[in-house]
Amino acid sequence: MQKMIMIIGAGILQLPAIKIAKEMGLYTVVTDYNKNAIGLKYADYPIIMSTRDVDGTVRVAKEFNKVRKIDGVITVGTDASLTVAAVQHALDLPGNRIDVAEATTNKIKMRKRLKEHSIPQPEFYSCWSYDDVQEASNKLGFPFVIKPADNMGARGVMKIEKSEVIRFAYERAKSASPRGEIIAESFMDGPELSIDALVWKGKIYITGVADRIIEFPPYFVETGHIMPTNLPIEQVKNALKVFKNAVRALGIEIGAAKGDIKVTSEGAKVGEIASRLSGGFMSAYTYPYSTGVNLIRAAINIALGLPPGDLTEKFHRVSVERAIIPGSGTVKRIEGVEDALSINGVKNVFVTCNIGDTVHIPTSNVEKCGNVIAVADTREEALHSANLGVKTVRIVLSDEGELNDGLLRKNALLKLSGICSVCRNCDGNECAGWLPGIGSKGDGSAFRRNITVLKNYGILSSSLTKIDNINTGTDLFGIPLDVPVVVAPISNMKRNFQSIFDEREYNKIVLKGAKKAGTIASISQMEYSMDEAVDYIIDPLKEIYGHGIPFFNPAFGETTTLKNIEKCFELGVKLCGLTIDLKSTDMDSLIDDKWLARIIRESPLPLIVKGIINPKDAVKLVDAGVKGVVFSNRGGRILQSYPSGLETMQKIIDKIKTETLVIVDGGFRSGEDIFKGIALGADLVMIGRPIFIAAAGSEIDGVSFRLNRIKEEFREVMRVTGCKILSEISKDKIIKF
């Protein structure tokens, strides 16, 4: 009688197993919670059931088994080992013990069992609360890594390099854990191997060793792998020894095993071991392409209680998988798939996004937009074909439908009539002396100086550098940003802009528009008001779950300022700002470094300070404990003889850069300007007036449109200059005229 295999999961990674099972003459019963999962279309008996629902899957398996006998259970590329083991146990089928499956799906249980057997691995601590993570950080030191104990695909995983990031990383990992259980472990530096194996009658058969490509720090996003590894043979042998010992220590006696092994300066260490075949297209595609071995067929045989069959490698080729990461925006068109498939060596192109989807720079392995797989006789040829395939697939992004620069400017001109000329070249000439208003002090020379200083630098291209998967992203105390741009705070709508927005309305627009574009906005307490109420800040932040940077004026007093910061902390805000560059004679409080130090010391959130124009002030503030400094001449609105924020930053940056977040503001308009600011040492750049004008032009969509346009310009500059990540943007990429 024709045998029946139960396959847990029906996604793109399980589809090859379903097809191969049918080629083997097996009936397939397949489960997945997604009724539209591609594998269900190929299943003989599709069942809607979550791969994580252990009890539900056991129940439907028992019911099905009464009608048609199930002869084996398997999964590929997803963390459903516990579900598989439970069904195997319930139906008395070949498989590992339940406790083995638990140890290979829960990172804490895995680490504890490996520790009992003295398997090399990082130091680790189980954490349930924020205090637990804080205590673990004291023991581990920086950097360390935080992970949900019971999830996969790098969801919620993050490298922590300073204390200000811990709360954000903790909340992110906590939300990614189904049970809320977290593990903190020491960071392991070095290359990483992905290893697949089959286990039959106690013997471990290695079925693939690949180099993993991990990018987009502080997150751990696998952007591809190369089969076979190119590491020295002795390092590979050491990694395989550690892997096999770990498999035995965990009690995996039958089926499949996959491991992520870090090759550190202290030797190989276990990153993770699972009792299943790997995902990431390795077991179903790159290993068979590289060796001619049908690994999934062998795994299905074992699941049925049969020997794996012939595992002899038929040939030795190189196969490469590379991720498709287009950037951030809304998917408008998908082009070039057929062209990519026509490239010599390209075997597969998978696109996992759809037209209309909103995509961002990934922070986990489930946020990529597709994959290209190529094979060749040499590593160089395979990499070339895969990278060319990624470049050929064009996922065209459009941020706001029919919105364009012309329409945005037209709408802004109508809204800002008599307030702002919406100049095509926003250089401060037209609005010089417009105070109160959008202009600058006196003849506008301080405003124009911001523009002039930036124009004094040119950008050097690099025609000989080949790059792919450009990462324009960064993080702000752990908050992922798709581009190193923060919307600058603008307030006093009634005084400066004839109430075309009220404070609350404008704050909502910029907060939501910035988040939509994958970055973050600052909003500010009104400086010329004695009203201590800040509902116009708190309410918009509440609507967006704290995704913003509120700036407060400490001249209202220590108690009031700390109370406002505490309110923001309760909303989930991750950092606050203090505006100290403007003193009002209407206020009694004096602002000095000692007085500020008390606020900084007692604040539940890290604080950054805006408006620094004197290098000595920057040093005092850093000594007082601020975590970030915004260098800004306030758009030339205080004194017309102010230097630019960029000039001040360059005078002091070497003295404060190591531990302090450096933000520069003033005159930044384009992606090229952003590049110059980063090259000169800033971590982030603030943009104010262009975003205000965009908000006037089309509110939330206008803000998002302008930020996305700047982001794409910035990406293009990185491409032309040969910079793949922000840390590669350096002063030697620019030239002073």
Side-chain angles (χ1 to χ4, degrees):
M1 185 177 179
Q2 196 170 0
K3 290 191 174 185
M4 178 79 66
I5 185 79
M6 186 175 195
I7 299 173
I8 307 299
I12 192 171
L13 295 179
Q14 294 82 48
L15 181 60
I18 299 168
K19 289 183 174 181
I20 290 170
K22 293 176 74 68
E23 291 171 4
M24 294 171 66
L26 303 172
Y27 284 123
T28 57
V29 53
V30 182
T31 64
D32 200 292
Y33 81 100
N34 179 9
K35 65 180 181 180
N36 297 316
I38 188 170
L40 294 180
K41 300 175 184 177
Y42 293 85
D44 295 300
Y45 301 96
I47 296 175
I48 307 302
M49 177 61 64
S50 170
T51 59
R52 287 184 173 274
D53 188 343
V54 177
D55 293 339
T57 305
V58 168
R59 184 181 67 253
V60 297
K62 284 183 174 180
E63 292 172 355
F64 189 92
N65 196 59
K66 292 176 183 177
V67 181
R68 289 293 306 271
K69 184 178 184 298
I70 295 174
D71 299 287
V73 188
I74 193 173
T75 191
V76 177
T78 187
D79 249 347
S81 301
L82 186 57
T83 304
V84 169
V87 175
Q88 289 168 335
H89 179 74
L91 301 185
D92 197 23
L93 297 171
N96 292 298
R97 302 188 312 272
I98 295 289
D99 67 297
V100 173
E102 289 176 337
T104 57
T105 53
N106 183 288
K107 295 176 178 62
I108 293 172
K109 291 181 179 180
M110 176 196 71
R111 292 256 178 254
K112 288 181 177 178
R113 188 168 291 192
L114 294 178
K115 185 177 181 180
E116 291 171 0
H117 291 81
S118 301
I119 304 297
Q121 63 175 342
E123 183 181 356
F124 69 95
Y125 296 94
S126 173
C127 303
W128 285 98
S129 68
Y130 175 69
D131 289 341
D132 289 342
V133 178
Q134 285 277 30
E135 184 178 348
S137 74
N138 293 333
K139 296 175 181 177
L140 293 169
F142 296 102
F144 71 97
V145 178
I146 189 170
K147 307 176 181 179
D150 50 357
N151 212 330
M152 62 172 291
R155 295 175 179 90
V157 182
M158 188 172 175
K159 179 182 177 183
I160 301 175
E161 299 192 79
K162 49 189 176 182
S163 60
E164 294 80 22
V165 179
I166 293 176
R167 179 167 291 280
F168 174 84
Y170 161 74
E171 292 175 357
R172 183 172 178 270
K174 193 83 169 177
S175 65
S177 169
R179 297 177 61 221
E181 191 174 14
I182 294 169
I183 184 170
E185 56 189 44
S186 56
F187 172 70
M188 297 182 289
D189 198 11
E192 186 168 340
L193 295 176
S194 185
I195 302 174
D196 261 341
L198 294 176
V199 185
W200 173 249
K201 291 189 174 180
K203 185 174 181 179
I204 301 171
Y205 299 86
I206 300 299
T207 54
V209 183
D211 292 322
R212 296 187 83 200
I213 304 170
I214 306 296
E215 298 179 295
F216 295 92
Y219 312 103
F220 295 81
V221 180
E222 182 177 359
T223 59
H225 68 269
I226 307 170
M227 172 78 72
T229 177
N230 202 35
L231 286 182
I233 187 64
E234 290 304 316
Q235 290 184 342
V236 176
K237 285 181 178 179
N238 177 236
L240 290 176
K241 179 182 178 181
V242 170
F243 170 73
K244 288 181 177 181
N245 288 340
V247 169
R248 296 187 183 100
L250 291 168
I252 302 173
E253 298 175 342
I254 187 172
K258 60 87 61 174
D260 299 330
I261 305 296
K262 292 288 289 189
V263 180
T264 76
S265 59
E266 299 172 341
K269 295 183 180 182
V270 173
E272 182 177 304
I273 303 289
S275 54
R276 58 173 173 83
L277 287 176
S278 65
F281 303 95
M282 181 169 154
S283 58
Y285 294 93
T286 56
Y287 184 69
Y289 289 155
S290 182
T291 64
V293 176
N294 192 324
L295 183 55
I296 290 180
R297 177 185 288 267
I300 290 174
N301 280 334
I302 293 175
L304 295 171
L306 303 172
D310 184 12
L311 296 176
T312 306
E313 295 185 358
K314 310 301 186 294
F315 44 76
H316 302 282
R317 305 192 76 194
V318 178
S319 50
V320 173
E321 176 265 319
R322 295 294 277 146
I324 300 171
I325 301 171
S328 305
T330 302
V331 179
K332 185 177 182 180
R333 298 191 308 276
I334 300 172
E335 303 170 342
V337 174
E338 293 302 321
D339 292 338
L341 286 168
S342 69
I343 295 170
N344 184 40
V346 172
K347 300 286 287 185
N348 305 91
V349 175
F350 300 98
V351 176
T352 54
C353 61
N354 298 302
I355 293 173
D357 288 352
T358 298
V359 299
H360 287 290
I361 291 173
T363 59
S364 73
N365 291 333
V366 297
E367 297 171 308
K368 296 171 285 190
C369 288
N371 308 79
V372 172
I373 299 173
V375 62
D377 291 329
T378 69
R379 189 179 180 95
E380 291 73 20
E381 290 172 331
L383 276 168
H384 173 75
S385 295
N387 290 335
L388 183 58
V390 168
K391 185 177 180 180
T392 302
V393 176
R394 297 179 299 280
I395 298 178
V396 181
L397 304 178
S398 173
D399 47 282
E400 305 304 334
E402 299 304 316
L403 194 60
N404 56 55
D405 287 301
L407 183 60
L408 199 65
R409 183 168 184 266
K410 177 183 176 182
N411 293 345
L413 278 167
L414 291 172
K415 181 106 174 176
L416 298 175
S417 177
I419 300 170
C420 174
S421 298
V422 194
C423 303
R424 292 186 184 276
N425 182 21
C426 181
D427 57 10
N429 284 313
E430 180 71 19
C431 57
W434 289 15
L435 287 177
I438 200 168
S440 53
K441 191 82 169 183
D443 64 3
S445 55
F447 186 154
R448 291 194 299 275
R449 188 167 184 81
N450 288 332
I451 306 293
T452 302
V453 168
L454 278 166
K455 289 186 179 298
N456 283 339
Y457 289 92
I459 296 174
L460 301 175
S461 65
S462 179
S463 303
L464 302 180
T465 304
K466 296 180 180 179
I467 57 172
D468 63 337
N469 284 339
I470 295 169
N471 180 10
T472 62
T474 185
D475 76 284
L476 174 60
F477 295 135
I479 304 168
L481 306 180
D482 287 357
V483 66
V485 172
V486 175
V487 176
I490 294 178
S491 62
N492 301 294
M493 292 292 153
K494 182 177 180 180
R495 183 175 189 270
N496 288 319
F497 309 116
Q498 301 175 22
S499 298
I500 62 162
F501 299 109
D502 66 30
E503 300 292 328
R504 189 187 310 260
E505 178 189 14
Y506 180 74
N507 289 342
K508 286 182 181 180
I509 288 170
V510 293
L511 287 171
K512 292 181 178 180
K515 185 174 184 181
K516 188 175 181 180
T519 185
I520 195 166
S522 308
I523 57 178
S524 180
Q525 186 174 15
M526 290 187 287
E527 294 157 347
Y528 293 93
S529 169
M530 290 301 296
D531 187 1
E532 294 184 4
V534 289
D535 290 347
Y536 57 89
I537 289 178
I538 299 301
D539 291 346
L541 284 169
K542 190 181 298 182
E543 286 190 23
I544 203 163
Y545 305 103
H547 187 82
I549 309 171
F551 275 80
F552 296 106
N553 189 340
F556 279 104
E558 179 182 354
T559 301
T560 298
T561 302
L562 284 170
K563 182 175 70 174
N564 288 333
I565 294 171
E566 184 67 36
K567 288 179 181 178
C568 294
F569 174 74
E570 292 171 358
L571 292 176
V573 170
K574 299 301 182 292
L575 75 156
C576 281
L578 300 176
T579 303
I580 65 168
D581 57 345
L582 185 63
K583 296 182 181 180
S584 172
T585 55
D586 297 330
M587 298 179 179
D588 296 326
S589 301
L590 294 175
I591 301 175
D592 59 53
D593 52 316
K594 293 181 180 179
W595 190 83
L596 278 173
R598 292 196 295 272
I599 295 179
I600 294 164
R601 184 174 59 252
E602 296 179 24
S603 169
L605 292 171
L607 297 179
I608 62 176
V609 175
K610 182 179 184 294
I612 303 305
I613 209 67
N614 188 324
K616 292 181 180 179
D617 286 347
V619 173
K620 287 182 179 180
L621 287 165
V622 171
D623 290 343
V626 299
K627 301 303 180 182
V629 176
V630 183
F631 292 96
S632 171
N633 72 2
R634 288 292 298 273
R637 297 167 64 82
I638 310 301
L639 294 176
Q640 68 180 30
S641 298
Y642 266 177
S644 72
L646 196 59
E647 289 173 308
T648 303
M649 181 193 80
Q650 291 180 80
K651 289 182 181 297
I652 193 65
I653 193 167
D654 291 339
K655 296 182 180 179
I656 66 169
K657 176 69 174 176
T658 304
E659 298 295 334
T660 308
L661 179 75
V662 174
I663 306 175
V664 65
D665 176 39
F668 293 90
R669 300 289 182 263
S670 67
E672 291 191 22
D673 292 341
I674 307 305
F675 186 90
K676 294 174 186 178
I678 302 300
L680 289 168
D683 296 303
L684 299 169
V685 170
M686 272 190 171
I687 300 182
R689 283 181 177 89
I691 304 304
F692 173 79
I693 292 169
S698 193
E699 299 189 349
I700 294 170
D701 287 347
V703 171
S704 177
F705 174 87
R706 177 57 58 219
L707 289 168
N708 278 318
R709 178 61 57 86
I710 291 169
K711 178 167 47 186
E712 289 311 308
E713 292 170 353
F714 182 62
R715 176 186 293 274
E716 178 63 13
V717 181
M718 289 182 67
R719 185 190 68 79
V720 170
T721 56
C723 298
K724 183 170 182 173
I725 56 178
L726 260 62
S727 61
E728 294 177 358
I729 301 175
S730 55
K731 205 168 184 178
D732 62 359
K733 305 290 184 183
I734 59 175
I735 184 171
K736 190 169 185 178
F737 297 131

